[in-house]
Amino acid sequence: MEMGVRILNNIEQLQQIIDNTNNIVFFGGAGVSTESGIPDFRSVDGLYHQKYDYPPETILSHTFFKRQTKEFYRFYRDKMLVLDAEPNAAHKKLAELEECGKLKAVVTQNIDGLHQKAGSKRVLELHGSIHRNYCQRCHACFDGKQMQELLQSEDGLPHCFCGGVIKPDVVLYEEGLDQKTMQDSIRYISQADVLIIGGTSLAVYPAAGLIDYFQGRHLVVINMAPTPRDRHADLLIQEKIGTVLGALHV
């Protein structure tokens, strides 16, 4: 009962913060999508705790993609290319907050496209998207469904019409983030009145370093596990983000 009362009090405080501003930016990670059935790499039950021939950090690197492309795609097809997931309460509430003019941008480390599926318009995808894919030879573009179909080929590789191998527009380890996306994210975060961090351990850089640009009034952290920013937060809520955001009134 005590836990329930504490969470309700936290949600009430968050509601007051949101009611008193029209300049919110949301910074989110894998925890935003776990309630939609997409695994969190670093959670106890996430991909990092499952058994593979190689650790996910190795498989999802630029070097591995170039040297062992077929093995990369076997993992990518089975664990990354999730097209049937649906937005949860967190995605939907953020879309509502944007629609009513309170939320200015969603900055996400996720590649699943669920924010857009929920209706969010201004989504800055730091690590790319499974819904965008391009041929490394002729640069032709393919969506997620086409990629899924192409990965059913006999050799397990997604080949373009020109014969080139298609690469997902996701940022692998050893690859740099898109500079325009980074610049836009810095601009929104630095100008925000309220920054809500949700569903992220803030362990992946350079993305996590964007939080340093926040100079606004209220820093809110919503995450089940501790983060490096907890002690700086004006409001810390250790609860599922769908539960918290879903309880808000817009």
Side-chain angles (χ1 to χ4, degrees):
M1 183 64 182
E2 183 183 346
M3 173 67 76
V5 170
R6 180 161 56 83
I7 295 300
L8 286 173
N9 287 337
N10 286 337
I11 292 173
E12 185 178 339
Q13 291 180 58
L14 178 57
Q15 184 73 61
Q16 291 174 357
I17 290 173
I18 290 174
D19 287 346
N20 290 313
T21 184
N22 288 313
N23 188 3
I24 305 168
V25 169
F26 179 80
F27 182 95
V32 178
S33 292
T34 52
E35 292 172 72
S36 293
I38 296 178
D40 177 353
F41 274 29
R42 289 173 176 77
S43 69
V44 175
D45 300 316
L47 296 180
Y48 277 74
H49 294 266
Q50 297 178 19
K51 302 298 181 182
Y52 295 96
D53 292 339
Y54 302 89
E57 304 101 313
T58 299
I59 297 174
L60 297 175
S61 68
H62 179 81
T63 298
F64 193 91
F65 175 79
K66 289 296 186 183
R67 293 179 180 174
Q68 301 196 52
T69 310
K70 186 174 181 178
E71 184 67 12
F72 168 90
Y73 273 117
R74 187 169 73 88
F75 179 90
Y76 182 80
R77 181 192 63 217
D78 294 343
K79 298 298 180 182
M80 307 289 290
L81 192 57
V82 181
L83 301 179
D84 57 355
E86 292 297 328
N88 59 54
H91 299 106
K92 293 174 183 176
K93 190 63 66 174
L94 289 168
E96 289 177 29
L97 286 168
E98 180 186 26
E99 187 176 9
C100 74
K102 285 188 170 292
L103 184 72
K104 300 307 179 187
V106 169
V107 181
T108 181
Q109 299 171 83
N110 296 340
I111 60 174
D112 50 49
L114 289 180
H115 285 292
Q116 291 93 327
K117 198 170 184 179
S120 290
K121 301 293 191 295
R122 195 171 291 112
V123 182
L124 301 171
E125 297 172 309
L126 295 172
H127 295 153
S129 173
I130 61 171
H131 299 284
R132 297 188 301 271
N133 308 271
Y134 64 91
C135 174
Q136 297 179 97
R137 180 184 294 175
C138 73
H139 306 294
C141 299
F142 300 83
D143 61 25
K145 186 66 176 175
Q146 291 172 309
M147 187 68 157
Q148 196 173 55
E149 292 170 356
L150 290 167
L151 280 170
Q152 304 303 317
S153 63
E154 286 187 17
D155 64 359
L157 294 176
H159 291 286
C160 176
F161 311 110
C162 74
V165 174
I166 301 165
K167 182 181 183 296
D169 186 20
V170 299
V171 179
L172 302 176
Y173 289 103
E174 304 168 350
E175 295 180 344
L177 273 60
D178 178 74
Q179 284 304 301
K180 185 179 186 310
T181 303
M182 284 286 283
Q183 290 168 2
D184 289 344
S185 299
I186 290 171
R187 177 164 55 86
Y188 279 110
I189 290 172
S190 64
Q191 294 175 358
D193 182 40
V194 174
L195 177 63
I196 301 175
I197 299 172
T200 173
S201 61
L202 295 176
V204 178
Y205 282 82
L210 292 172
I211 307 304
D212 292 333
Y213 291 93
F214 178 64
Q215 304 173 48
R217 288 193 299 146
H218 296 292
L219 177 64
V220 178
V221 176
I222 309 169
N223 200 54
M224 293 292 288
T227 81
R229 301 288 173 162
D230 289 0
R231 61 192 180 92
H232 301 291
D234 298 293
L235 178 58
L236 173 63
I237 307 178
Q238 293 183 314
E239 180 57 72
K240 290 182 178 179
I241 189 160
T243 300
V244 176
L245 295 187
L248 296 174
H249 302 291
V250 176

